[in-house]
Amino acid sequence: RRSPPRFLLQGECNGCGKCCEEPTIQVGRITWYLRSARWAFCAWQRVVNGFELVGADRHARALTFRCTHFDPATRLCDSYDTRPGMCRDYPLALLGQPWPELFAECSHSVVARNAPGLREALAQTDLTPEARARLEEKLLLVDRPPRP
């Protein structure tokens, strides 16, 4: 049985399209280091999802793509009803990561599932209010106001 994600997703999609502009996929070691596996992975992404490779982040072992179904002028997907799972599941899929990060433009926010208890524990410390507020933000213990 899987344990629930450590984070909760809040807010509604504002349609900014940032997640569609350059989908990024973290890959395993074999895919990253074995050229033939990386080639096959990118070919599959191109044929099945319409993702064209545009960059790579060595530190994160992630590949960044340009989606051929995303129209930058209208900021819409021309294949919305049949979009890939990673597109359908964004940003929910990020909640299982150790430290989910959303695009700055995204109107969703991520809050730690145990935020109330952690905020209460921090209130018992001798931190200054400013230091406590910074720590609460870094630990994803506060709701971010929704973005339009």
Side-chain angles (χ1 to χ4, degrees), residues 38-110:
R38 190 170 56 246
W39 181 88
F41 179 81
C42 290
W44 186 84
Q45 292 298 332
R46 185 175 54 256
V47 172
V48 174
N49 293 332
F51 292 173
E52 297 288 339
L53 183 66
V54 295
D57 179 345
R58 288 177 189 232
H59 178 70
R61 228 177 34 235
L63 301 172
T64 302
F65 299 89
R66 178 187 68 80
C67 181
T68 60
H69 298 288
F70 179 69
D71 182 345
T74 63
R75 314 235 13 107
L76 298 173
C77 176
D78 68 11
S79 299
Y80 188 79
D81 292 335
T82 59
R83 67 195 184 280
M86 70 172 276
C87 300
R88 252 189 333 273
D89 296 341
Y90 182 87
L92 281 174
L94 297 178
L95 299 181
Q97 293 182 354
W99 208 256
E101 291 185 48
L102 304 179
F103 294 105
E105 297 83 356
C106 186
S107 58
H108 290 285
S109 65
V110 175

Side-chain angles (χ1 to χ4, degrees), residues 6-61:
R6 292 177 36 214
F7 300 95
L8 300 171
L9 183 66
Q10 298 180 336
E12 298 287 325
C13 179
N14 63 0
C16 73
K18 188 67 178 169
C19 56
C20 304
E21 253 178 334
E22 291 186 338
T24 301
I25 303 172
Q26 282 189 310
V27 296
R29 285 188 165 95
I30 292 173
T31 303
W32 184 260
Y33 291 110
L34 190 61
R35 184 176 293 183
S36 59
R38 190 170 56 246
W39 181 88
F41 179 81
C42 290
W44 186 84
Q45 292 298 332
R46 185 175 54 256
V47 172
V48 174
N49 293 332
F51 292 173
E52 297 288 339
L53 183 66
V54 295
D57 179 345
R58 288 177 189 232
H59 178 70
R61 228 177 34 235

Side-chain angles (χ1 to χ4, degrees), residues 94-132:
L94 297 178
L95 299 181
Q97 293 182 354
W99 208 256
E101 291 185 48
L102 304 179
F103 294 105
E105 297 83 356
C106 186
S107 58
H108 290 285
S109 65
V110 175
V111 177
R113 180 177 293 281
N114 58 348
L118 291 172
R119 278 195 307 269
E120 187 177 312
L122 283 174
Q124 304 302 314
T125 66
D126 60 354
L127 292 170
T128 66
E130 296 82 16
R132 188 175 321 126

